[in-house]
């Protein structure tokens, strides 16, 4: 059984499938962010409570990823990813019909659990099926799908909400998700190099504990937690500021502010080259200083 090589039709189909999957995952995850103001008004809740619509999904996703990666070792890579995307698409459509905020939170929590089936398995599939020389390109397209989905989901839902309300906005994302799931299912080749294994929960727990014993890894985990957390928090609440006086911007205009996140797709590549030249610690401290200055100025 040969590996998938760059330049072949099957490589293009596989890359396109994962681009669609990455877009789908992060569009569903972040589509609630520009809708928080609408949740606040309709359900008569505070901005802090409204932000749970994103927080519960993210927490459920993070925890569930630890489980789905192990389940794919037993059930297979493609089935876990396809069923994960399909379930998330259906739940997204159900979320659009939520009569109360508590029901919405329930569906968003379930969304986080089902969404975890894709990112936790995607890299394993690519590592098993793509030849080593072509792996970087395939992973790059998948990650770019993640980034574009995170931006696109926010912009699309924010724009739709102004014309169709938050129900229509989430339903629109759900329809896009169904289409992305179909594209992924028909485009992704079945695993050729996957070998089923027994589910060993003990080994999984030991591996996690071993990682937590390494202080350098713990520092990296902490940085990721704090940086992404502050980024999400800033964008959670900036809509409330920009739609109020003195700015009084429309929801559509405010949703387009998320395009700023695209800069990260290019700056990350540039930062990687700077790290190779000047070292990790120096570039990290410079980037943290720029981030802090940006937050203070904002």
């Amino acid at each position: 059984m040969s590996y998938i090589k760059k330049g072949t039709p099957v490589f293009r189909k596989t890359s396109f499938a994962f681009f669609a999957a990455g877009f789908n995952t992060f569009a569903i995850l972040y589509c609630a962010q520009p809708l928080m103001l609408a949740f606040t008004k309709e359900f008569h809740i505070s901005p802090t409570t409204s932000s749970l619509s994103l927080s519960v999904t993210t927490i459920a996703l993070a925890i569930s990823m630890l489980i789905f990666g192990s389940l794919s070792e037993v059930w297979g890579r493609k089935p876990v990813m396809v069923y994960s995307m399909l379930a998330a698409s259906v739940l997204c459509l159900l979320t659009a019909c939520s009569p109360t905020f508590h029901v919405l939170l329930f569906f968003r929590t379930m969304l986080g659990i089902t969404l975890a089936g894709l990112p936790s398995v995607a890299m394993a599939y690519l590592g098993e099926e793509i030849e080593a020389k072509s792996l970087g390109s395939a992973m790059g397209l998948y990650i770019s799908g993640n980034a574009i989905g995170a931006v696109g989901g926010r912009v699309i839902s924010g724009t739709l909400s102004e014309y169709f309300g938050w129900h229509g906005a989430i339903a629109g994302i759900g329809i896009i998700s169904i289409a992305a799931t179909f594209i992924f299912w028909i485009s992704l080749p079945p695993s050729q190099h996957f070998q089923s294994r027994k589910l060993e929960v003990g080994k999984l727990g030991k591996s996690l504990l071993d990682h937590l014993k390494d202080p350098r890894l713990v520092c990296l985990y902490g940085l990721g937690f704090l940086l992404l957390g502050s980024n999400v928090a800033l964008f959670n609440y900036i809509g409330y500021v920009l739609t109020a006086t003195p700015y009084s911007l429309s929801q559509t205009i405010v949703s387009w502010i998320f395009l700023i996140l695209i800069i990260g797709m290019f700056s990350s590549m540039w930062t990687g080259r700077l790290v190779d030249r000047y070292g990790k610690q120096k570039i990290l401290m410079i980037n943290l200083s720029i981030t802090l200055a940006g937050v203070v100025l904002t």
Side-chain angles (χ1 to χ4, degrees):
M1 293 182 289
S2 59
Y3 290 92
I4 300 172
K5 298 180 180 180
K6 187 177 179 179
T8 61
V10 68
F11 179 86
R12 287 190 289 271
K13 288 181 68 176
T14 302
S15 298
F16 182 59
F18 274 102
F19 178 86
F23 181 94
N24 174 56
T25 302
F26 282 82
I28 289 180
L29 177 63
Y30 285 109
C31 71
Q33 195 166 42
L35 307 177
M36 290 176 186
L37 181 60
F39 297 154
T40 298
K41 291 179 179 179
E42 177 158 338
F43 298 117
H44 307 291
I45 54 178
S46 68
T48 304
T49 304
S50 181
S51 70
L52 289 173
S53 58
L54 178 58
S55 301
V56 295
T57 313
T58 308
I59 293 169
L61 172 66
I63 295 172
S64 301
M65 281 183 68
L66 302 174
I67 300 169
F68 273 99
S70 298
L71 290 178
S72 73
E73 300 283 352
V74 182
W75 295 343
R77 309 297 190 200
K78 184 175 179 179
V80 168
M81 291 188 287
V82 170
Y83 288 128
S84 170
M85 289 181 65
L86 181 60
S89 301
V90 172
L91 284 166
C92 187
L93 292 172
L94 290 174
T95 304
C97 305
S98 302
T100 67
F101 189 66
H102 289 95
V103 173
L104 186 145
L105 287 183
F106 171 76
F107 283 132
R108 289 288 294 174
T109 303
M110 296 303 295
L111 259 175
I113 294 171
T114 54
L115 277 176
L118 194 128
S120 61
V121 181
M123 292 302 183
Y125 176 96
L126 291 172
E128 289 170 350
E129 306 300 328
I130 307 290
E131 71 164 357
K133 294 180 180 178
S134 308
L135 187 57
S137 298
M139 287 187 172
L141 279 169
Y142 168 60
I143 293 170
S144 68
N146 293 348
I148 294 173
V151 175
R154 288 162 159 130
V155 173
I156 293 169
S157 66
T159 303
L160 288 176
S161 69
E162 186 162 348
Y163 301 98
F164 305 103
W166 71 264
H167 299 277
I170 295 180
I173 295 296
I175 293 169
I176 293 172
S177 179
I178 291 286
T181 302
F182 181 72
I183 290 170
F184 183 79
W185 175 53
I186 63 173
S187 300
L188 188 70
S191 298
Q192 299 295 319
H193 301 90
F194 170 75
Q195 293 182 343
S196 181
R197 304 171 188 173
K198 291 182 179 180
L199 181 61
E200 299 183 50
V201 180
K203 285 188 176 180
L204 174 63
K206 184 179 183 301
S207 176
L208 292 173
L209 288 175
D210 287 342
H211 287 148
L212 292 175
K213 290 177 182 177
D214 188 331
R216 291 173 298 179
L217 287 178
V218 172
C219 286
L220 286 176
Y221 302 153
L223 276 175
F225 175 82
L226 293 171
L227 288 172
L228 184 58
S230 58
N231 173 279
V232 171
L234 177 65
F235 281 99
N236 277 355
Y237 298 115
I238 201 163
Y240 290 91
V241 176
L242 295 179
T243 53
T245 53
Y247 305 104
S248 303
L249 298 177
S250 68
Q251 183 61 56
T252 299
I253 297 298
V254 171
S255 68
W256 283 90
I257 197 173
F258 294 109
L259 287 175
I260 292 172
L261 296 171
I262 292 178
I263 295 173
M265 295 170 58
F266 303 99
S267 64
S268 60
M269 294 184 289
W270 181 51
T271 299
R273 290 194 292 268
L274 291 176
V275 166
D276 291 336
R277 184 181 302 178
Y278 300 108
K280 300 181 184 69
Q281 189 170 359
K282 182 182 292 186
I283 299 303
L284 178 60
M285 293 306 297
I286 291 173
N287 281 356
L288 288 173
S289 300
I290 294 172
T291 301
L292 181 59
V295 172
V296 171
L297 287 171
T298 302

